[in-house]
């Protein structure tokens, strides 16, 4: 029998799902649960031993496995390209050549976060499939399970497929607003007849009009005093319920990022620098009540919405 092993192989929040040939989900789990490691940052998407034991438990000897991944074949080359791009190297030069006290915390954080994400994304991509292929090769012949194929899909298409195929609709427009992706952090799709063509090609690279609502929300999360990889982003929304709109903050935040047609555009570096410098004056200070930044959370939610 044929099975489909879905592997969400981003370097954080990786997860596994096994679907039978009828399309029925027979197993699904975020790896953080098995690993007992919040968000499973920088781990293999197929935990060793776990992956072959799962397949032994839920399939039968002789089963064929098609593994499907949430980043395309070209992703690794794309990531390597970003490292050499003018936008990122200019950012690196700016951080390295500017005295520490002249760089806004949020700008410094954006640089180190970007560098961390890029290196982690490359490592995550290179780890994908490694444990699966080796684990299956080590099974004794009587319980052999065959890896019959590996499929790699464009990242935002996998988000769109999850949203559309699990929805009650047969026809829809679908907007994916992510933290990052393969060329941009957003994409729009048209969903009809079970097909999902993209509405526009996204070829922007790092720094060129690559606005990211995900990155914006990460920065707000940090300003509110919550950790990015501590799984605390949801607290921004909860805190917003205690705040009200601050017009000055709203102006600073809307200067950072804007929507133009189907594009999300990030402001130029001087505008970002100025806004971040001003926004830092509103940030949560360690030890104070989080209610002091409730207006920050509310205003960010208003901008985000
Ligand atoms: Fe994503």
């Amino acid at each position: 029998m044929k099975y489909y092993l879905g592997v969400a192989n981003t370097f954080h929040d990786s997860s596994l799902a096994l679907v039978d040939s009828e399309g029925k989900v027979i197993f699904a789990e975020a790896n953080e649960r098995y690993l007992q490691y919040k968000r499973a940052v920088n781990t293999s998407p197929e935990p060793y031993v776990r992956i072959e034991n799962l397949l032994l438990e839920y399939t039968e000897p002789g089963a064929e496995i098609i593994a499907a991944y949430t980043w395309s074949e070209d992703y690794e080359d794309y990531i390597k390209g970003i490292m050499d791009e003018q936008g990122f190297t200019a950012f690196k030069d700016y951080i390295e050549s500017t005295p520490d006290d002249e760089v806004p915390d949020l700008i410094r954080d954006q640089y180190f976060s970007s560098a961390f994400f890029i290196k982690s994304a490359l490592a995550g991509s290179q780890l994908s499939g490694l444990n699966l292929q080796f684990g299956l090769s080590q099974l004794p012949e009587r319980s052999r399970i065959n890896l019959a194929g590996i499929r790699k899909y464009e990242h935002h298409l996998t988000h769109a497929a999850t949203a559309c195929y699990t929805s009650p609709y047969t026809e829809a427009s679908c907007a994916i607003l992510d933290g990052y992706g393969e060329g941009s952090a957003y994409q729009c799709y048209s969903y009809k007849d079970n097909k999902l063509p993209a509405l526009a090609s996204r070829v922007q690279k790092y720094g060129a009009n690559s606005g990211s609502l995900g990155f914006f929300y990460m920065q707000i999360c940090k300003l509110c005093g919550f950790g990015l990889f501590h799984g605390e982003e949801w607290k921004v929304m909860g805190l917003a319920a205690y705040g009200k709109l601050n017009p000055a903050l709203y102006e600073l935040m809307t200067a950072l990022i804007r929507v133009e047609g189907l594009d999300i555009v990030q402001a130029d570096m001087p505008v970002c620098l100025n806004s971040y410098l001003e926004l830092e004056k509103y940030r949560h200070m360690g030890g104070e009540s989080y209610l002091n930044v409730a207006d920050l959370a509310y205003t960010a939610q208003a901008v985000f919405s």
Side-chain angles (χ1 to χ4, degrees):
M1 193 169 168
K2 190 183 277 184
Y3 297 85
Y4 298 89
L5 176 68
V7 186
N9 62 323
T10 303
F11 71 88
H12 58 84
D13 303 285
S14 58
S15 57
L16 299 166
L18 193 63
V19 178
D20 69 13
S21 53
E22 308 292 313
K24 185 179 166 206
V25 177
I26 52 179
F27 177 84
E29 186 178 74
N31 287 331
E32 67 171 12
R33 283 183 173 263
Y34 169 71
L35 296 172
Q36 288 295 290
Y37 169 31
K38 191 79 176 167
R39 306 198 65 182
V41 177
N42 279 334
T43 60
S44 164
E46 307 118 10
Y48 192 61
V49 179
R50 169 66 158 176
I51 189 66
E52 58 264 35
N53 283 345
L54 274 178
L55 294 175
L56 284 171
E57 183 177 348
Y58 288 97
T59 70
E60 67 289 330
E64 292 204 326
I65 305 293
I66 307 284
Y69 292 86
T70 57
W71 294 90
S72 75
E73 199 75 60
D74 300 330
Y75 180 55
E76 222 170 284
D77 286 341
Y78 168 68
I79 290 288
K80 287 175 184 166
I82 288 176
M83 291 176 171
D84 301 326
E85 263 189 29
Q86 204 184 356
F88 189 70
T89 49
F91 200 177
K92 186 169 183 274
D93 290 346
Y94 163 76
I95 293 289
E96 287 176 354
S97 64
T98 310
D100 260 11
D101 56 358
E102 289 177 27
V103 182
D105 272 1
L106 284 176
I107 292 285
R108 184 187 294 103
D109 183 70
Q110 191 166 348
Y111 169 73
F112 283 107
S113 297
S114 300
F116 174 75
F117 290 161
I118 290 166
K119 288 176 186 171
S120 300
L122 184 59
S125 176
Q126 290 170 335
L127 270 178
S128 298
L130 204 57
N131 288 348
L132 173 66
Q133 291 183 61
F134 183 65
L136 291 184
S137 78
Q138 298 302 293
L139 294 178
E141 189 153 358
R142 66 182 178 282
S143 54
R144 188 61 51 86
I145 294 165
N146 306 307
L147 184 58
I150 290 179
R151 298 177 187 174
K152 296 183 176 184
Y153 295 94
E154 196 274 325
H155 184 68
H156 291 153
L157 179 62
T158 65
H159 278 304
T162 303
C164 293
Y165 295 148
T166 61
S167 78
Y169 308 112
T170 54
E171 196 172 326
S173 297
C174 177
I176 302 302
L177 305 169
D178 210 347
Y180 57 101
E182 302 185 41
S184 76
Y186 55 91
Q187 182 60 283
C188 295
Y189 296 87
S190 168
Y191 173 48
K192 194 178 178 186
D193 300 328
N194 283 332
K195 292 193 170 61
L196 273 167
L199 290 183
S201 73
R202 301 273 171 236
V203 291
Q204 299 103 320
K205 303 288 184 185
Y206 183 89
N209 281 356
S210 54
S212 163
L213 277 180
F215 234 94
F216 169 77
Y217 206 79
M218 284 183 217
Q219 301 289 41
I220 298 301
C221 181
K222 296 222 39 158
L223 276 175
C224 288
F226 303 130
L228 289 189
F229 284 112
H230 297 67
E232 292 190 314
E233 281 153 321
W234 61 273
K235 291 182 179 177
V236 177
M237 192 183 285
L239 184 60
Y242 297 90
K244 58 185 185 314
L245 191 83
N246 178 319
L249 277 172
Y250 189 84
E251 198 174 317
L252 288 170
M253 290 178 192
T254 48
L256 286 170
I257 197 165
R258 63 186 184 277
V259 177
E260 285 183 7
L262 294 180
D263 287 320
I264 299 172
V265 180
Q266 182 167 306
D268 294 336
M269 189 60 125
V271 177
C272 288
L273 269 173
N274 179 60
S275 287
Y276 281 136
L277 271 170
E278 291 300 312
L279 282 170
E280 280 182 7
K281 296 175 183 168
Y282 295 84
R283 78 179 310 151
H284 179 263
M285 308 302 276
E288 71 171 342
S289 166
Y290 283 100
L291 289 174
N292 292 353
V293 289
D295 289 356
L296 179 71
Y298 181 98
T299 306
Q301 285 297 142
V303 173
F304 195 74
S305 304

